[in-house]
Amino acid sequence: SDFDEDYSSDEIDRTLLREANGALVMETALTLKRTIEARVLSAHPEWAAKGIVGEEVEAFSDFLVYTLESQTIISDWAVVVFDTSSGFVDVYRGKNYKDEAETNDDGGVGCHIGEAQAASNTLTLRYTPGHYQPLVPVTRDSARPSLKKIISALDEAGVLYVITDGGDE
């Protein structure tokens, strides 16, 4: 067919994979939005009637604070939001999030995990007014950064950020 002559099998596979990845990202984003909203509404059920939370209402990263200590997967994550309108960065760290090398109360090394695992539990989002987008590496060879690396880069660049921690401290 003409389609087969114009495109290689690899190009077709990549196009299909991009479309599938896009659909998965959208589905995952909607699931996360609903998970976060459920936690918000459990704390503030009156907000649904006031239109503060709901299907047609914009999500706010501030709502993440309701999930940091929850029994959801989000409590295992660090979420870093780069706000393009203010230039600030908000970091939300779940109570179960583990970074590369954490210490026990006695100063000894605690749960020692690798950078790859810490990076896999670190989500980076770009906020533009009315919209959140995942920030992902641009090439297959690029690795996602861990929270430790992100904070180091922010410090080095002099970027203002706030860490909201879900830990029991």
Side-chain angles (χ1 to χ4, degrees), residues 47-169:
W47 286 5
K50 293 180 180 178
I52 296 172
V53 178
E55 201 64 36
E56 300 301 320
V57 181
E58 178 185 344
F60 294 100
S61 60
D62 293 347
F63 288 171
L64 284 167
V65 298
Y66 294 96
T67 64
L68 297 178
E69 295 187 30
S70 69
Q71 295 299 317
T72 67
I73 192 168
I74 299 170
S75 70
D76 291 339
W77 296 345
V79 180
V80 183
V81 181
F82 295 85
D83 187 332
T84 62
S85 56
S86 71
F88 295 120
V89 177
D90 291 309
V91 177
Y92 300 90
R93 186 170 39 203
K95 74 174 183 177
N96 299 319
Y97 177 79
K98 301 286 186 253
D99 215 333
E100 294 170 53
E102 298 193 347
T103 59
N104 293 325
D105 292 336
D106 63 4
V109 174
C111 178
H112 192 76
I113 66 169
E115 183 180 340
Q117 184 177 351
S120 73
N121 286 347
T122 304
L123 302 179
T124 50
L125 301 174
R126 176 178 181 250
Y127 174 74
T128 56
H131 193 63
Y132 290 89
Q133 295 175 296
L135 284 174
V136 293
V138 293
T139 67
R140 280 191 269 174
D141 298 337
S142 299
R144 290 173 49 185
S146 66
L147 180 59
K148 183 177 179 179
K149 284 196 171 192
I150 292 170
I151 289 175
S152 177
L154 294 173
D155 287 339
E156 189 175 306
V159 175
L160 295 175
Y161 62 92
V162 173
I163 298 176
T164 302
D165 205 342
D168 300 324
E169 297 175 27

Side-chain angles (χ1 to χ4, degrees), residues 21-39:
N21 282 343
L24 181 60
V25 166
M26 294 299 292
E27 181 181 325
T28 302
L30 185 56
T31 299
L32 289 174
K33 180 180 187 276
R34 288 182 176 150
T35 300
I36 294 165
E37 286 175 346
R39 297 298 308 165

